[in-house]
Amino acid sequence: MSPLTTRLTYSALAALIPSASLAADTDRMVITGSRQLESIDRIPANIQVLGGDEIKQIWGPGDNLSTVLGKLVPGLGAPTNSVSNFGQTLRGRKILLVIDGVPQTENRQVSRQLNSLQTKAIERIEVVSGANAVYGPEATGGIIHVITRSPEAGLESISSIGASASEQNVGDSAAYSASQTISGKAARTAYLIDFNYEQRQKNFDGNGDPIAPEPAQVGRLDTRSIDASLKLSYDLSTETTLSLAARAFDEQQDTDQVVQSQPYRSEGGLDLDDQPFSKSIQGSVRLESVLLGQELDLNLYTRSREYRFYPFNFNVLGLFDLTNQSTSKSDVLGAKLTVHSPVSDSASLTWGLDWEQEQGEQTAVAYDSQAYAQSGGRAFEGQTGTYDYGPAVETEKAAAFLQGQWSPRSDLHVRAGARYETITQKVDDFVSPYESAFSRNWGNILAVAQQLEDANRIPAGTTNLLPESYKISGQSGDTLQYDGNAFNLGFVFDINPTQQIYVNGTQGYELADTARILRDSLAEDSQALTLARLFGAELTSTGTDDLDLEVIKTNSLELGWRGRGNGLSYGINGFYNESDKTYQFNPDFSVSLLSSTKRIYGGDLFIDGQIVDRVQGGLSLSYTRGEVEQEEAEGNGWDTVSPIEATPPKVLAYSAYRYLPNHQVRAQVMHLFASDKVADNEFVSEAYTLLDLFFRSDISPAQSLSLGIHNAANTQYQSLFNQWAEATYGEASGAPGHGRRFSLNYTLSL
């Protein structure tokens, strides 16, 4: 009954039973991404299941989940080489990350979810394209469901150690990892204890030059990570199981490196006491039971996380510099009740209730910008007290959903669902960070204004219009209420025993990032607005009364064909999705929510399986293009969206050769094409290709040794994320990609 039963992938089944029919094999393939046990051949969506062995095979110490998924999942954005997974959309839309049934999203998204879990703890990952009524918010692009290790029968111990280093500067670039898992089952009780530790030093590019800390979203050089988890379960009866789970993640950076520009380089001498970190803790209590023929699953969970950023320096209105460091926090309580009700031999219903409450806030401190400038960006001194970096927001969501599955004929399968959700957001009173900055720097502002006036760069008498002291104007909070609904309808038709076609219409929605939209807004009576107008600049006056919040709804359509035969699995699909609103990232780093239609379209094709004896391979091509409606756009009124939103075409390929029964070599390639020209204020991304080589040897039934050569061709490149970051934040965020790196891992299972 447990949803944590080991399952097989399409490719594995094809290799095991290449002549069997599609229906017979896929009955054994179960996806939990839709919160119920289902066969893949009943789901009208593109699905990929990654086994733990495949994940660990391409992982090396220093890599995170963002890197692994970017190299294995078609349609997902390329790896970022940082703690952030910003830009790793799926088909140009947001992903919903779920870990062991618990969603990992908050209203104030900080895009570090794929860095908050060590890959060695993973049993498998299920990727399902498109939204559905069962999951609701944030899954507009699809769902990535991570299932961590579960207890095995008897007593089991898995120990693993690993190391990696760049080809050059081995001593300064080394990363080390160690993990230990102990699990067992006895009578009605099962348990698992998992501990992972990783220490990283510096990163180097293809020329052997050190890569500096990334000031916008934080890199992973000179960091230490600890990931620990505990699982306990007890069978109350033959039909009822109670499970407890807890997991904690802690990643701390401690570096002496600092980024320098013109040209870009990394140098020592950083003086920063409060360095970036990522911390999270998650706990859940789960009750699974069968009652009167109904399968019940009640999951109560809590999550807390805290992320600190690297300090970021920028100029305000040409009057003064602000050196700012922020910390984001989120605390979540939630409950999910799912009931699976058989209706007949060919039909069933899945229905339930979801509730979640989140308290989120982001605060900041500032440093002495003069000391920062005089030290060449090395010294962060004179830390101020904490101030608001946007309002604290409490978000409460309550939803009901219903989804039905029906097979009116043996070759036709129908799935339809609906969801309704209410959202209440309580926005606290807050003070804009601009207000805090103007107040602290008012003396400098008056001095600069006088200098500009003396140089005839602003009208005479401007300085006399400014008050002697700055009066801070705060923003009033409010309670905002809105709702969302979604429907989905899909069909799967068996063309023959080995091939299917499917069509799926879905709706998904995401909540507006209220705290981020309001962060830079000012009260109507703010003196900062007057000051900006005097200097020919523009600041916004937006309060909670001006927000007409609604969910950002996305309507999607997907059509696909899939099949298997002669040891191969293959398929092709096309999709189109459209939303009625879009976010705009402005040159002043503010964010706007615009009532502009955004459309994303494209497709994927793949082939995977046994090529010849002892040789397996796979190839996939994903194409995604996005456009947003603009009033002043050239031509047809549509502008191409940034490649950081809709990833340029991506090719993934691999070939694995088992040259001896217990020895295998694998080559893995990712090619990212260049992007098309987009709007004038955006960038055109450059193409790059990465080749990885992996060697695995099963020394004995209990021991394995693997060697990896990452970026084997030592390609000099810049990740898509860093290309965007440099175009957005400047040269300091334009970190180059990692050069050739070697990794070695040893695992002992007892």
Side-chain angles (χ1 to χ4, degrees):
M1 185 191 71
S2 171
L4 299 180
T5 305
T6 302
R7 286 119 187 168
L8 297 174
T9 66
Y10 256 130
S11 302
L13 284 171
L16 289 172
I17 320 174
S19 61
S21 70
L22 181 71
D25 287 354
T26 55
D27 283 341
R28 300 172 58 190
M29 298 182 60
V30 182
I31 298 296
T32 60
S34 54
R35 286 168 65 175
Q36 65 170 3
L37 303 178
E38 288 185 283
S39 298
I40 283 182
D41 68 330
R42 301 294 189 264
I43 302 175
N46 188 46
I47 298 165
Q48 184 176 8
V49 181
L50 304 174
D53 286 343
E54 183 177 14
I55 295 167
K56 288 190 282 286
Q57 186 175 28
I58 75 162
W59 170 87
D63 291 339
N64 58 10
L65 189 54
S66 163
T67 299
V68 172
L69 291 176
K71 293 181 178 181
L72 290 179
V73 179
L76 185 70
T80 66
N81 291 340
S82 77
V83 302
S84 176
N85 49 273
F86 181 78
Q88 285 196 285
T89 59
L90 185 60
R91 296 180 168 182
R93 299 289 181 179
K94 281 188 175 183
I95 58 171
L96 172 63
L97 177 67
V98 179
I99 299 178
D100 290 335
V102 178
Q104 305 293 307
T105 56
E106 303 104 20
N107 184 240
R108 175 77 274 266
Q109 291 294 338
V110 187
S111 301
R112 291 194 192 179
Q113 298 93 332
L114 296 182
N115 189 61
S116 61
L117 177 71
Q118 287 290 324
T119 55
K120 286 187 177 182
I122 296 172
E123 180 178 293
R124 72 180 187 280
I125 298 175
E126 304 168 349
V127 184
V128 182
S129 65
N132 62 49
V134 172
Y135 266 102
E138 312 308 326
T140 50
I143 301 163
I144 296 180
H145 192 187
V146 177
I147 294 96
T148 60
R149 288 174 177 169
S150 55
E152 299 291 338
L155 176 64
E156 182 182 49
S157 171
I158 302 175
S159 306
S160 179
I161 56 173
S164 69
S166 297
E167 181 180 31
Q168 305 178 56
N169 306 289
V170 174
D172 292 331
S173 65
Y176 309 95
S177 70
S179 67
Q180 177 65 55
T181 302
I182 299 175
S183 66
K185 289 183 179 180
R188 295 183 173 187
T189 305
Y191 63 91
L192 180 141
I193 302 172
D194 188 69
F195 180 84
N196 297 271
Y197 176 87
E198 189 168 289
Q199 181 77 46
R200 307 168 201 85
Q201 297 189 70
K202 295 171 178 56
N203 298 318
F204 292 85
D205 65 16
N207 291 321
D209 297 323
I211 300 172
E214 204 283 300
Q217 294 293 334
V218 183
R220 302 192 77 211
L221 76 160
D222 293 329
T223 56
R224 181 271 299 152
S225 301
I226 295 175
D227 186 359
S229 61
L230 171 68
K231 289 185 177 182
L232 299 171
S233 67
Y234 181 75
D235 295 334
L236 300 174
S237 69
T238 57
E239 296 184 330
T240 303
T241 300
L242 179 66
S243 304
L244 304 176
R247 187 175 62 83
F249 178 83
D250 186 333
E251 182 167 294
Q252 304 272 350
Q253 187 170 59
D254 184 11
T255 184
D256 65 346
Q257 296 295 294
V258 63
V259 65
Q260 298 289 289
S261 300
Q262 299 179 349
Y264 173 94
R265 63 196 185 279
S266 179
E267 294 184 355
L270 175 66
D271 181 12
L272 175 63
D273 292 333
D274 295 332
Q275 299 217 1
F277 62 72
S278 300
K279 300 178 181 179
S280 64
I281 187 169
Q282 173 178 306
S284 65
V285 178
R286 188 171 188 176
L287 180 67
E288 299 169 276
S289 184
V290 177
L291 180 63
L292 300 177
Q294 316 291 302
E295 296 180 14
L296 280 69
D297 186 344
L298 175 63
N299 195 349
L300 309 177
Y301 61 89
T302 179
R303 287 188 293 109
S304 295
R305 60 98 178 138
E306 183 175 3
Y307 301 149
R308 180 190 289 156
F309 289 83
Y310 194 87
F312 189 73
N313 178 265
F314 61 98
N315 185 268
V316 180
L317 301 180
L319 297 175
F320 63 93
D321 283 347
L322 177 61
T323 306
N324 182 87
Q325 182 179 33
S326 71
T327 301
S328 175
K329 300 179 181 179
S330 175
D331 297 301
V332 177
L333 288 173
K336 293 183 175 295
L337 172 64
T338 306
V339 182
H340 184 62
S341 304
V343 177
S344 67
D345 291 341
S346 61
S348 64
L349 293 175
T350 301
W351 55 278
L353 302 171
D354 291 344
W355 174 85
E356 188 174 272
Q357 182 183 71
E358 182 222 345
Q359 181 68 53
E361 68 173 20
Q362 190 165 5
T363 57
V365 296
Y367 295 93
D368 186 332
S369 294
Q370 186 174 1
Y372 170 85
Q374 291 175 347
S375 67
R378 292 174 172 82
F380 295 90
E381 303 172 350
Q383 185 182 108
T384 67
T386 301
Y387 54 87
D388 295 335
Y389 208 55
V393 179
E394 179 185 288
T395 302
E396 184 172 2
K397 301 177 290 184
F401 63 88
L402 171 68
Q403 183 156 276
Q405 297 78 221
W406 179 42
S407 298
R409 304 181 348 182
S410 61
D411 58 357
L412 179 63
H413 317 290
V414 184
R415 185 162 75 164
R419 182 185 184 91
Y420 176 75
E421 186 154 11
T422 62
I423 301 105
T424 301
Q425 291 189 314
K426 297 178 181 178
V427 182
D428 287 357
D429 297 345
F430 72 103
V431 174
S432 167
Y434 277 123
E435 296 282 353
S436 302
F438 282 127
S439 177
R440 289 193 308 274
N441 292 275
W442 191 246
N444 293 334
I445 291 172
L446 293 178
V448 172
Q450 187 64 60
Q451 294 173 5
L452 294 174
E453 186 175 330
D454 293 343
N456 297 319
R457 294 176 59 185
I458 59 175
T462 297
T463 306
N464 293 331
L465 298 175
L466 302 178
E468 293 183 2
S469 61
Y470 187 85
K471 176 186 175 183
I472 290 179
S473 297
Q475 290 267 48
S476 298
D478 200 357
T479 298
L480 310 172
Q481 293 183 316
Y482 52 109
D483 58 13
N485 56 69
F487 302 91
N488 60 268
L489 176 63
F491 302 87
V492 179
F493 178 71
D494 299 336
I495 302 173
N496 56 44
T498 62
Q499 298 183 64
Q500 295 178 319
I501 57 172
Y502 64 88
V503 60
N504 197 25
T506 66
Q507 290 182 318
Y509 55 88
E510 57 185 283
L511 277 59
D513 192 342
T514 308
R516 184 63 183 90
I517 294 171
L518 290 173
R519 176 196 294 173
D520 303 307
S521 65
L522 296 163
E524 293 181 357
D525 62 347
S526 172
Q527 292 178 351
L529 294 172
T530 303
L531 183 67
R533 286 191 290 268
L534 288 174
F535 289 90
E538 182 178 348
L539 294 175
T540 61
S541 172
T542 303
T544 53
D545 292 340
D546 301 309
L547 292 179
D548 183 19
L549 287 183
E550 297 178 351
V551 297
I552 306 171
K553 181 171 286 189
T554 300
N555 298 309
S556 304
L557 180 66
E558 179 178 356
L559 176 66
W561 166 75
R562 63 194 178 201
R564 182 171 63 255
N566 299 320
L568 297 174
S569 60
Y570 45 84
I572 186 171
N573 62 72
F575 64 88
Y576 176 91
N577 62 60
E578 184 176 288
S579 59
D580 55 354
K581 292 181 176 63
T582 185
Y583 282 109
Q584 177 175 288
F585 197 92
N586 302 313
D588 63 355
F589 309 137
S590 64
V591 173
S592 303
L593 181 61
L594 306 178
S595 296
S596 300
T597 300
K598 182 166 71 173
R599 61 190 186 191
I600 310 287
Y601 53 89
D604 309 294
L605 62 86
F606 69 90
I607 183 169
D608 190 294
Q610 196 82 18
I611 301 174
V612 295
D613 184 39
R614 296 191 292 179
V615 178
Q616 190 167 358
L619 173 69
S620 69
L621 169 64
S622 57
Y623 174 83
T624 304
R625 183 179 178 86
E627 298 172 335
V628 62
E629 191 173 22
Q630 300 283 357
E631 293 181 359
E632 299 179 358
E634 299 179 2
N636 61 0
W638 294 85
D639 272 343
T640 303
V641 304
S642 169
I644 199 66
E645 294 183 62
T647 302
K650 184 173 76 169
V651 173
L652 301 176
Y654 82 94
S655 179
Y657 172 54
R658 190 171 293 278
Y659 54 94
L660 290 173
N662 298 318
H663 304 273
Q664 177 179 274
V665 59
R666 174 178 174 134
Q668 181 94 25
V669 176
M670 184 195 79
H671 176 76
L672 192 70
F673 287 85
S675 67
D676 296 332
K677 186 181 185 306
V678 295
D680 292 338
N681 63 338
E682 290 288 356
F683 71 102
V684 177
S685 64
E686 298 179 354
Y688 57 92
T689 303
L690 297 178
L691 168 66
D692 300 324
L693 300 176
F694 305 98
F695 305 85
R696 177 186 171 96
S697 175
D698 295 328
I699 304 171
S700 70
Q703 300 179 82
S704 66
L705 185 68
S706 60
L707 169 68
I709 308 176
H710 310 259
N711 189 7
N714 201 34
T715 300
Q716 299 182 40
Y717 74 103
Q718 192 177 38
S719 72
L720 176 62
F721 168 79
N722 283 116
Q723 292 182 51
W724 168 84
E726 181 174 7
T728 303
Y729 299 113
E731 184 183 14
S733 292
H738 299 173
R740 184 184 293 119
R741 183 167 55 93
F742 296 88
S743 66
L744 185 66
N745 289 279
Y746 170 78
T747 301
L748 173 65
S749 302
L750 299 175

